[in-house]
Amino acid sequence: MKKFNIAVLGATGAVGREMLKVMEEYDIPVGKLLPLASAKSAGTEIIFKGEKVRVEEATDEAFEGMDFVLGAVQNPMSKRFAPAIVKAGAVYIDNSSAFRMDPEVPLVVPEINGEDAFTNKGIIANPNCSTIITLMAVAGIAKVSPIKNMVACTYQAVSGAGVAGIGELESQMAALTNGGEIVSKTFPTQIAANVIPWIGDVKDNLYTSEEMKMQNEGRRIMHLPELLVTCTCVRVPVMRSHSIAVTVRTERKVTIEEANEAIRNYPGVKLIEDIEGRSYPTPLDTTDQDLVYVGRVRDDLTCDNGLTLWCCGDQVRKGAASNAVQIMKKLIERA
């Protein structure tokens, strides 16, 4: 079997480490693994397939000889190294938002628009985590009848803000228990025992950047350029896995039975009809695996052609690391 040289840019972060874990699980045929990070993290070691691998400093020259580069860094670092990655002849699968709206860069969820990955010119963008989870949940319905618009409310775990988000919730929970001082640095206000209806930067229309991703990215992934989405993104005191309540309005009426059947048969999705005596998933049910769980499918009471549902998915995995590895796996299988 042919093997491939793969670099992970941002290998010491939460998503980078998850990418390494998922590559092992998926048995990706790795020839050389090159974990890359900033100068501060260079020299540390990570474990891959039971062996220690030294983390190297990310430089323009580091990508020579690589077939694929998985990106798990913020926008500035992604933009900084993307030209060098493309010049080296590698395919860059980027988890940041740096290239998501670039019309020359395919934005891919493999189960929905996987063929778009093969139009790449060296860069493929990984979508926003909540967008991936939501679209996976409704993609089966869209095959029955095209979606015209969606109303979504996300309930996003603190791990969506990285290791710092997890640490802040843990420290605040401890402070609440022990009567200590509540310190908020990662989030704009206390997250423990609270919810924060604000993620991202405000735009001219008073929606946040995180909220607009559902519409802007959804149009590209679903190949629905006229798709309209109104979204409210909420940070909740959950460690891992995002949840979304979403209402879809379709061109024709889709019955609950049709929707359930479409969801049940869609790859990467699990319809929850009975889990521990309930018909809905929770974030804990979906943590540390790649399926998007969907439940509570019901008619929208405000629109004849509407359906409302609830979905949950692990945003560190399917919402980030696993989706990127799945894109790479798809390219490898056709190489």
Side-chain angles (χ1 to χ4, degrees):
M1 176 184 290
K2 182 179 179 181
K3 294 189 175 182
F4 298 84
N5 296 334
I6 300 170
V8 177
L9 180 60
T12 57
V15 173
R17 289 181 182 275
E18 200 71 24
M19 287 172 169
L20 294 166
K21 177 183 173 183
V22 174
M23 279 199 290
E24 283 196 49
E25 289 180 18
Y26 282 29
D27 199 22
I28 298 297
V30 180
K32 177 182 178 181
L33 176 72
L34 180 62
L36 296 170
S38 65
K40 185 173 69 172
S41 298
T44 59
E45 292 180 332
I46 55 97
I47 303 296
F48 184 72
K49 294 187 175 181
E51 296 185 4
K52 293 181 179 179
V53 184
R54 187 176 183 275
V55 177
E56 305 287 342
E57 181 180 356
T59 64
D60 286 344
E61 296 73 31
F63 306 103
E64 293 297 328
M66 292 295 108
D67 297 300
F68 296 97
V69 178
L70 301 179
V73 293
Q74 297 299 315
N75 286 15
M77 195 169 182
S78 183
K79 291 179 179 178
R80 159 75 178 81
F81 287 112
I85 295 170
V86 174
K87 184 179 179 182
V91 175
Y92 181 37
I93 303 171
D94 176 32
N95 192 61
S96 81
S97 62
F99 302 100
R100 288 178 187 161
M101 298 314 296
D102 186 333
E104 296 295 309
V105 175
L107 181 67
V108 177
V109 179
E111 297 90 341
I112 300 174
N113 67 325
E115 287 301 305
D116 290 0
F118 297 100
T119 67
N120 80 83
K121 298 178 181 178
I123 303 174
I124 301 171
N126 218 35
N128 169 261
C129 49
S130 291
T131 299
I132 292 174
I133 294 164
T134 305
L135 295 187
M136 284 290 293
V138 305
I141 296 172
K143 284 190 170 294
V144 179
S145 179
I147 294 171
K148 297 178 67 176
N149 60 67
M150 299 196 305
V151 179
C153 186
T154 73
Y155 304 83
Q156 297 183 214
V158 294
S159 53
V163 175
I166 296 172
E168 188 153 304
L169 176 56
E170 289 177 336
S171 64
Q172 289 183 2
M173 289 171 65
L176 284 176
T177 301
N178 301 316
E181 180 186 2
I182 299 291
V183 178
S184 299
K185 293 181 179 180
T186 302
F187 303 115
T189 189
Q190 177 181 322
I191 185 59
N194 201 14
V195 299
I196 305 171
W198 188 275
I199 303 175
D201 303 315
V202 69
K203 313 300 282 187
D204 290 342
N205 62 1
L206 301 184
Y207 284 77
T208 68
S209 53
E210 185 80 1
E211 290 163 346
M212 291 308 301
K213 290 173 184 177
M214 191 79 74
Q215 173 174 284
N216 297 338
E217 296 181 18
R219 288 176 171 180
R220 299 197 65 204
I221 297 162
M222 301 286 282
H223 296 170
L224 294 171
E226 304 302 320
L227 177 67
L228 297 174
V229 180
T230 186
C231 182
T232 300
C233 290
V234 184
R235 187 73 70 189
V236 296
V238 169
M239 288 297 180
R240 183 158 164 169
S241 288
H242 291 350
S243 304
I244 303 96
V246 58
T247 296
V248 296
R249 279 77 182 256
T250 50
E251 286 188 3
R252 74 159 177 88
K253 172 63 180 174
V254 177
T255 67
I256 295 173
E257 292 74 19
E258 284 179 306
N260 282 341
E261 187 66 15
I263 294 166
R264 189 182 295 115
N265 294 325
Y266 202 83
V269 178
K270 183 175 183 178
L271 178 67
I272 300 302
E273 298 172 273
D274 182 13
I275 181 171
E276 297 179 350
R278 49 186 162 83
S279 61
Y280 56 86
T282 69
L284 286 178
D285 297 322
T286 60
T287 293
D288 201 25
Q289 56 83 59
D290 293 334
L291 295 176
V292 172
Y293 285 18
V294 181
R296 299 209 65 206
V297 181
R298 57 205 189 277
D299 284 322
D300 172 19
L301 300 182
T302 71
C303 174
D304 289 341
N305 288 7
L307 288 165
T308 295
L309 56 83
W310 171 260
C311 62
C312 301
D314 188 326
Q315 93 289 348
V316 180
R317 285 187 62 110
K318 183 54 184 171
S322 296
N323 196 76
V325 175
Q326 288 167 345
I327 292 169
M328 181 175 66
K329 184 173 183 287
K330 195 171 186 72
L331 296 175
I332 285 172
E333 288 172 347
R334 198 177 289 187

